[in-house]
């Protein structure tokens, strides 16, 4: 294959989800489905099923750094995507590495809890993300609960910022853009809103699907990373990635007793003409 026909390469920092619902596996499937080649830097192992996370073990930060450095010295990377981080030490190591590549767009999905509510990041990790990663982030993709948790003033129980104010504070803390997803809001439709330094850029409404899904946030953030790596601008990348994610969710399946998993390869399984007769 000639070099100019390389698929865009995206480096992912994420934790393994052996169920294939969320985490590194979700990122690999999404990026592959969208025509990118994923480089996977493992930050933590988890023990989980389709219902929730039982346990997690962070990978040693030197191992995280070595995985990334070896690849970055070998291959051209078009985008970084960061998911579950595992430890404060991992955050510091990754922050140092990406600071050597300021021109590469960075999508940060602040993974704070599983769908069931199992905690996946400590308060110290949230503080480290804010301090070390947000100033280097192109696009942050919190759900509304994560957005509120990332900006809530400590020791101030009266601080209840609206989502636009959360976005303003997150951009003040250093991210260039923020996409706040509305799955957890009590609205008839799911509204996802993209903000930049001048405020609202776009808001997209989606039919609320009935199931509970494992890995929807990882899928959306990876799809945006794939689109940026494929040359789309932020607003287009965000819109198209939502469309892709909605279809993956609408085609979701329930392999176990817990949540539905998105089908990131829904297009490969659509009925062919021979199935329609
Ligand atoms: O969906 C967020 C997420 C990310 N990464 C891993 C996870 C989860 C949620 O359970 O387990 C490894």
């Amino acid at each position: 294959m000639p070099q100019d026909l390389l698929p865009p390469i995206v480096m992912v920092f994420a934790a393994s989800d052996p169920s294939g619902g969320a985490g590194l596996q979700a990122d690999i499937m999404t990026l592959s489905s969208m025509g990118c080649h994923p480089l996977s830097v493992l930050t933590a192992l988890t023990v989980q099923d389709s219902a929730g996370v039982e346990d997690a073990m962070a990978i040693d930060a030197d191992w995280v750094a070595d995985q990334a450095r070896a690849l970055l010295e070998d291959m051209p990377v078009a985008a970084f995507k960061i998911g579950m981080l595992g430890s404060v030490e991992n955050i510091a190591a990754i922050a140092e590495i990406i600071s050597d590549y300021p021109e590469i767009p960075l999508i940060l999905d602040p993974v704070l809890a599983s769908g069931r509510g199992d905690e996946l990041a400590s308060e110290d990790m949230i503080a480290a993300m804010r301090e070390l990663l947000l100033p280097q982030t192109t696009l942050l993709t919190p759900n509304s609960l994560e957005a509120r948790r990332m900006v809530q003033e400590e020791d101030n129980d009266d601080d209840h910022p609206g989502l636009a104010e959360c976005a303003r504070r997150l951009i003040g803390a250093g991210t260039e853009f923020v996409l706040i997803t509305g799955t957890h809001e009590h609205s008839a439709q799911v509204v996802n809103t993209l903000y930049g330094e001048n405020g609202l850029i776009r808001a997209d409404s989606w039919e609320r699907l009935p199931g509970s899904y494992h890995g929807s946030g990882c899928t959306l953030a990876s799809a945006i990373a794939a689109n940026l790596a494929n040359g789309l601008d932020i607003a287009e990348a965000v819109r198209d990635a939502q469309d892709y994610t909605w279809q993956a969710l609408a085609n979701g399946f329930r392999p176990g007793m817990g949540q539905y998993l998105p089908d990131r390869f829904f297009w490969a399984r659509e009925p062919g003409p021979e199935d329609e007769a």
Side-chain angles (χ1 to χ4, degrees):
M1 185 186 240
Q3 283 301 300
D4 59 350
L5 292 182
L6 276 179
I9 298 174
V10 177
M11 175 171 280
V12 173
F13 296 87
S16 164
D17 171 0
S19 79
L24 190 51
Q25 288 82 352
D27 298 334
I28 291 172
M29 283 188 259
T30 302
L31 291 163
S32 305
S33 172
M34 297 189 71
C36 292
H37 176 68
L39 303 179
S40 41
V41 176
L42 184 66
T43 57
L45 305 179
T46 69
V47 176
Q48 61 178 303
D49 57 20
S50 61
V53 180
E54 295 302 326
D55 212 348
M57 183 184 80
I59 302 293
D60 184 276
D62 289 339
W63 277 81
V64 173
D66 288 350
Q67 291 175 74
R69 290 268 187 222
L71 292 166
L72 286 164
E73 282 162 22
D74 187 33
M75 300 181 201
V77 167
F80 290 120
K81 190 257 166 180
I82 300 182
M84 180 177 158
L85 285 149
S87 68
V88 169
E89 291 76 14
N90 284 351
I91 294 173
I94 292 167
E96 192 180 327
I97 289 170
I98 61 176
S99 72
D100 290 340
Y101 302 88
E103 72 291 354
I104 301 180
L106 167 64
I107 313 305
L108 174 60
D109 182 21
V111 175
L112 306 186
S114 76
R116 186 172 69 181
D118 312 292
E119 180 159 301
L120 300 176
S122 63
E123 288 304 319
D124 285 352
M125 287 174 61
I126 296 175
M129 271 188 232
R130 280 183 58 112
E131 212 173 295
L132 302 176
L133 293 179
L134 271 196
Q136 305 192 63
T137 298
T138 310
L139 173 68
L140 183 76
T141 63
N143 62 39
S144 52
L145 308 180
E146 292 162 340
R148 291 195 184 93
R149 206 170 143 202
M150 285 187 83
V151 303
Q152 215 123 38
E153 289 168 9
E154 276 170 44
D155 311 326
N156 181 358
D157 293 340
D158 296 331
D159 184 35
H160 301 293
L163 293 180
E165 171 61 13
C166 291
R168 204 187 59 75
R169 292 187 196 178
L170 290 165
I171 289 166
T175 184
E176 212 177 324
F177 300 95
V178 56
L179 174 69
I180 303 184
T181 57
T183 318
H184 297 274
E185 300 300 287
H186 299 290
S187 50
Q189 294 209 308
V190 174
V191 184
N192 302 327
T193 312
L194 176 67
Y195 302 88
E197 63 174 346
N198 296 322
L200 177 73
I201 296 177
R202 64 177 301 135
D204 296 284
S205 298
W206 300 90
E207 180 194 333
R208 190 175 279 283
L209 295 163
S212 165
Y213 294 89
H214 192 64
S216 50
C218 305
T219 303
L220 177 62
S222 282
I224 297 169
N227 281 339
L228 291 179
N230 274 309
L232 270 58
D233 70 26
I234 283 275
E236 274 180 297
V238 161
R239 206 218 70 79
D240 180 83
Q242 290 176 76
D243 187 55
Y244 169 83
T245 303
W246 192 88
Q247 291 191 64
L249 298 178
N251 286 280
F253 54 98
R254 190 168 181 240
M257 291 179 285
Q259 295 178 297
Y260 281 77
L261 310 190
D263 183 358
R264 290 97 182 175
F265 286 95
F266 57 85
W267 52 266
R269 276 183 270 277
E270 268 165 5
E274 65 278 15
D275 299 316
E276 279 169 9

